[in-house]
Amino acid sequence: EKSGYDHYMLKEIHEQPKALRQCLRGRIDDLDGTVDLEDLADLDHEGPIQFVACGTSYHAALFGAERLQRAGVRAQAFLASEYASDRVPVDDETLVVGVTQSGETADTLRALREAARAGATTLAVTNTVASSAARECDHALYIRAGPEIGVAATKTFASQQLALALLAFTLSDGPTREELEALRDIPGQVRTVLETTEARAVAEEYVDADAYFFIGRGYHYPVALEGALKMKEITYRHAEGFAAGELKHGPLALVTEDTPVFAVVTGDDETARKTIGNVKEVEARDAPVVAITDGESDVTRYADHVLEIPAVSDLGGSVLANVQLQLVAYWVANLLGRSIDKPRNLAKSVTVE
Ligand code: M6R
């Protein structure tokens, strides 16, 4: 059932183009140039939006919240385990979105129930039809990634990113023609990324590193967090993700020639230039730099290795960059002989608080 792959994780990484196409299927109206989410036909919401989620799904939630904020919608992402309706302003004007692949995560279900008691409308963004989250929430949006066996979430994260981008477009002004085109191109571009081989070479080079750091800004900040989570989860090595700007506020003290820093930089705008500034800071401390980039900026000048992605919007770029980081984590874990599909101490679905 692993279709020739050594691990489910690698199989599921390679299933991403298909998963993403399934996520988009029938949800883009070409004639009107609109996003059409049939699952949410009866959702009509104008107030603030709160996301609740755990782990990888929380990283997707951060991504979704940022998309909405950029569209002028009041949106915030919370760790479900820290969400408390008596501290967070939530009422019947609020839409609370639980992002949960399994639909069974206890922390997320509790947060959703609490929000519902406070009068909020609830929406489950999930991979699992008839899961507790899907059944209990007022609405459900399916990410349609197909079953994921590996404990490490891979294709479900990419599908969450895409589903949340679609959701953000429905809850705000809707996409421009270019944004719509960009969404539609993502599955094919993921395929292009999967054809690259550099991630394995990077894993071989840094398999003995002391620690791995990941930095990004904006849409790439959740990708930095996710890159680090994937790395620690399946390699058992120390890895941390930081907002690129935070590096100089403490973590820079950890940076040495034995701590590769993975920097996600796309485009050549102000955001890219600022992250490149942070890259220069780590380079000055002799840390190896791995740039995950579309090559639009001069970040490659400061990088020891480049993990290439196609040039797209920063939204799409963060989906693509994450795929490269999945591959690096996979290959490091593989070289270390780890139990990749079932890492120690972890379960696919966490049903206790
Ligand atoms: O099923 P969920 O999306 O609610 O799961 C949430 C987390 O437990 C999950 O994303 C976890 O962090 C991943 N296994 C990490 O790869």
Side-chain angles (χ1 to χ4, degrees), residues 43 45-51 60-77 95-97 99 123 125 161 163-174 219 315:
L43 172 68
H45 180 78
E46 296 215 326
I49 297 168
Q50 296 172 355
F51 292 91
L62 285 172
F63 174 87
E66 170 143 4
R67 177 68 200 105
L68 282 162
Q69 289 160 6
R70 290 199 199 189
V73 177
R74 269 181 297 158
Q76 249 181 306
L95 174 67
V96 177
V97 183
V99 185
L123 161 63
V125 176
Q161 286 180 297
L164 290 174
L166 294 173
L167 176 69
F169 284 128
T170 14
L171 293 172
S172 61
D173 275 349
Y219 288 126
L315 184 145

Side-chain angles (χ1 to χ4, degrees), residues 213 242 246-257 259 281-282 285:
F213 300 130
F242 304 112
E246 274 295 296
L247 207 60
K248 58 187 175 300
H249 297 291
L252 200 52
L254 294 171
V255 168
T256 71
E257 60 186 8
T259 61
E281 288 162 7
V282 305
R285 273 86 186 168

Side-chain angles (χ1 to χ4, degrees), residues 7-180:
H7 298 95
Y8 283 109
M9 182 183 180
L10 191 60
K11 173 175 179 258
E12 288 158 2
I13 288 173
H14 281 270
E15 281 172 351
Q16 290 178 114
K18 182 174 159 217
L20 294 173
R21 268 197 306 275
Q22 280 169 188
C23 180
L24 290 177
R25 194 173 7 93
R27 288 172 166 174
I28 288 181
D29 185 327
D30 282 313
L31 284 180
D32 294 354
T34 53
V35 169
D36 183 9
L37 293 177
E38 212 181 298
D39 321 29
L40 302 184
D42 56 345
L43 172 68
D44 185 18
H45 180 78
E46 296 215 326
I49 297 168
Q50 296 172 355
F51 292 91
V52 291
C54 307
T56 292
S57 295
Y58 172 69
H59 301 152
L62 285 172
F63 174 87
E66 170 143 4
R67 177 68 200 105
L68 282 162
Q69 289 160 6
R70 290 199 199 189
V73 177
R74 269 181 297 158
Q76 249 181 306
F78 296 88
L79 287 168
S81 57
E82 290 291 324
Y83 184 83
S85 59
D86 53 350
R87 280 188 273 129
V88 175
V90 48
D91 57 22
D92 57 6
E93 302 282 291
T94 319
L95 174 67
V96 177
V97 183
V99 185
T100 168
Q101 184 280 128
S102 63
E104 303 297 345
T105 300
D107 288 319
T108 308
L109 292 174
R110 184 210 50 90
L112 285 167
R113 286 172 191 147
E114 216 178 284
R117 272 199 302 278
T121 303
T122 53
L123 161 63
V125 176
T126 182
N127 198 29
T128 315
V129 177
S131 57
S132 301
R135 280 185 284 109
E136 291 183 25
C137 286
D138 300 314
H139 305 272
L141 173 63
Y142 293 104
I143 65 169
R144 303 180 185 158
E148 187 177 68
I149 311 290
V151 165
T154 52
K155 63 174 179 172
T156 54
F157 177 69
S159 300
Q160 285 170 338
Q161 286 180 297
L162 205 54
L164 290 174
L166 294 173
L167 176 69
F169 284 128
T170 14
L171 293 172
S172 61
D173 275 349
T176 61
R177 283 271 167 199
E178 295 77 56
E179 285 171 326
L180 214 53

